[in-house]
Amino acid sequence: MVDGQQGAQPQENAGESSSAARADTTAHFAEDFKAQLAALEKGISLDEQEAIQALPSGSALLVVRRGPNVGARFLLDGDVTTVGRHPESDIFLDDVTVSRRHAEFLRVGTSFQVRDLGSMNGTYFDSVRIEQALLTDGAEVQVGKFRLTFYASRLDLAAASR
């Protein structure tokens, strides 16, 4: 240690390190990486992202975001998918806030609609009580105290955007 400057670099190296610090360090990311980051910001886990990416054309996925079985996933791959508290419902939601035959999801081509079946507590699409609504990717459907997020097949979204 000389004059309290332990570890000081010689003058000739100081210029080299400052020019290295000024080098361009911009990183470029692929579009799929940007999409994954955006999905994470929306609360979609990597496992859910993979499931959504794997959806075949003509199908969709519902993910429970609020309610007794948070994280549960339901595949929509038929023309009609029933939802309710009845044990024979395609999507069985066991809670008193859900009617026995509460709602149904209808596939029309590669699009999906939700229709309330006269339930006591109603069916909500993006916080608005509805009788029937055309679903959009990322939309929230509320059945009783369950809040489900709808994800369309990525193949169908890509085809629709062309």
Side-chain angles (χ1 to χ4, degrees):
M1 184 163 148
V2 177
D3 294 330
Q5 293 185 4
Q6 180 181 6
Q9 294 185 1
Q11 194 65 24
E12 61 271 10
N13 289 342
E16 291 175 25
S17 63
S18 64
S19 66
R22 283 184 259 139
D24 185 12
T25 57
T26 302
H28 298 280
F29 297 103
E31 289 301 316
D32 61 332
F33 181 74
K34 291 177 185 176
Q36 287 179 344
L37 284 177
L40 286 173
E41 289 175 0
K42 292 180 184 176
I44 304 170
S45 72
L46 291 175
D47 190 40
E48 290 169 346
Q49 289 178 46
E50 289 175 6
I52 294 165
Q53 290 296 326
L55 288 171
S57 180
S59 67
L61 190 68
L62 292 171
V63 179
V64 178
R65 296 292 176 209
R66 290 174 84 192
N69 50 342
V70 170
R73 292 182 271 184
F74 301 101
L75 179 65
L76 301 179
D77 62 352
D79 290 336
V80 178
T81 303
T82 59
V83 180
R85 198 168 29 93
H86 191 281
E88 293 179 13
S89 295
D90 298 316
I91 299 175
F92 176 63
L93 300 176
D94 191 18
D95 188 82
V96 296
T97 61
V98 178
S99 296
R100 291 176 60 74
R101 296 189 192 330
H102 197 105
E104 62 187 8
F105 291 90
L106 308 166
R107 179 173 60 187
V108 180
T110 57
S111 298
F112 285 84
Q113 299 176 1
V114 62
R115 179 170 55 199
D116 185 78
L117 298 176
S119 66
M120 181 176 289
N121 292 323
T123 300
Y124 292 79
F125 171 71
D126 286 343
S127 302
V128 176
R129 189 170 181 157
I130 53 96
E131 294 295 318
Q132 185 164 335
L134 180 64
L135 295 173
T136 55
D137 189 61
E140 182 181 82
V141 176
Q142 183 174 342
V143 175
K145 68 164 114 176
F146 294 84
R147 290 193 183 189
L148 312 149
T149 303
F150 172 83
Y151 298 101
S153 164
R154 296 308 181 233
L155 297 172
D156 297 336
L157 290 177
S161 68
R162 291 184 203 144

